[in-house]
Amino acid sequence: DQQVKQNSPSLSVQEGRISILNCDYTNSMFDYFLWYKKYPAEGPTFLISISSIKDKNEDGRFTVFLNKSAKHLSLHIVPSQPGDSAVYFCAASAISDYKLSFGAGTTVTVRA
Amino acid sequence: DTGVSQDPRHKITKRGQNVTFRCDPISEHNRLYWYRQTLGQGPEFLTYFQNEAQLEKSRLLSDRFSAERPKGSFSTLEIQRTEQGDSAMYLCAIPGGDSYNEQFFGPGTRLTVL
């Protein structure tokens, strides 16, 4: 059962514009949420995270928003840069074991 | 540099052969996680260790899979009698800092079973 879902397999955005990636989850026990970026043939790279007690976390160009009632989170990248072209994974964990459950990923392409 | 190295980076083997992968965290941490990623999917949890103890195994981990962390530092993952369905990227991760919340991944081992 897929507990974390990324329903958009791909996103194309123009350089300088905002990229918005969405993620939904079903497990109410999740209390920590993360975004990872992945290039081909490499391991996922941690980007940004948010605890369930917060609704927003910002780090430079990256902002993550959490809507617990809707079981939904999003990642905003502003402004988008060509180097942001990669696969982005949403992940979630529970305090019981901290193992990560991942979505299927969204491929972001930033056009010049 | 994520602080985790994995060896080998690539492995090509024939169906039925045994393979072993190694994960070496550069910094010590009492937790270590293994994940597997197949094409078009996100990483899936396989197993994790607290020091030397293997605390949980996913149902994805059949009897052909075994993992160890003998001294609570490096870890090995062995697959016996490989099948074509085992072809995937095998990823190792350790938490960062004092928190278990954020995990940092190694570069992975890409396994291809012919």
Side-chain angles (χ1 to χ4, degrees):
Chain A
D1 59 335
Q2 195 77 8
Q3 300 185 76
V4 178
K5 295 181 182 179
Q6 294 176 256
N7 291 320
S8 297
S10 63
L11 173 69
S12 180
V13 63
Q14 194 165 9
E15 182 178 1
R17 305 295 287 266
I18 184 172
S19 295
I20 300 177
L21 290 79
N22 293 302
C23 177
D24 297 294
Y25 63 95
T26 57
N27 189 339
S28 300
M29 300 303 293
F30 288 149
D31 56 10
Y32 205 82
F33 305 89
L34 309 91
W35 285 93
Y36 286 86
K37 176 180 180 181
K38 188 177 185 302
Y39 294 116
E42 294 184 9
T45 301
F46 170 74
L47 268 180
I48 192 170
S49 60
I50 187 167
S51 164
S52 60
I53 63 173
K54 296 183 177 181
D55 55 18
K56 178 182 175 181
N57 187 29
E58 193 171 353
D59 183 3
R61 297 186 298 115
F62 302 91
T63 302
V64 56
F65 296 91
L66 175 63
N67 182 333
K68 280 187 63 179
S69 61
K71 293 190 175 65
H72 177 83
L73 64 155
S74 62
L75 174 68
H76 292 206
I77 307 173
V78 182
S80 300
Q81 299 174 354
D84 296 332
S85 296
V87 180
Y88 289 77
F89 291 101
C90 171
S93 68
I95 196 171
S96 55
D97 52 27
Y98 299 99
K99 66 184 182 188
L100 297 175
S101 295
F102 283 85
T106 297
T107 300
V108 173
T109 303
V110 179
R111 310 184 310 271
Chain B
D1 184 4
T2 62
V4 182
S5 65
Q6 291 189 246
D7 183 70
R9 293 292 307 276
H10 304 276
K11 179 70 176 179
I12 300 174
T13 190
K14 293 183 179 179
R15 188 177 52 181
Q17 298 294 303
N18 299 342
V19 295
T20 300
F21 311 140
R22 180 176 169 121
C23 170
D24 274 284
I26 295 173
S27 56
E28 291 189 0
H29 201 288
N30 56 13
R31 287 272 175 106
L32 185 148
Y33 295 79
W34 283 97
Y35 296 84
R36 179 175 74 182
Q37 185 183 12
T38 53
L39 204 59
Q41 300 297 319
E44 296 174 290
F45 167 78
L46 290 179
T47 187
Y48 82 98
F49 292 85
Q50 176 86 11
N51 299 312
E52 303 90 356
Q54 188 174 15
L55 294 190
E56 185 177 345
K57 293 171 59 174
S58 162
R59 55 184 167 79
L60 293 176
L61 228 58
S62 74
D63 292 344
R64 297 184 297 105
F65 288 72
S66 62
E68 293 183 342
R69 197 182 184 202
K71 297 182 181 179
S73 56
F74 73 92
S75 178
T76 59
L77 178 67
E78 181 183 13
I79 310 174
Q80 296 182 327
R81 305 181 305 281
T82 53
E83 301 173 355
Q84 288 185 325
D86 298 331
S87 296
M89 172 80 87
Y90 290 84
L91 297 159
C92 175
I94 59 168
D98 297 329
S99 166
Y100 292 144
N101 284 317
E102 292 156 9
Q103 294 180 22
F104 295 87
F105 286 80
T109 294
R110 167 70 66 188
L111 173 66
T112 301
V113 181
L114 302 176

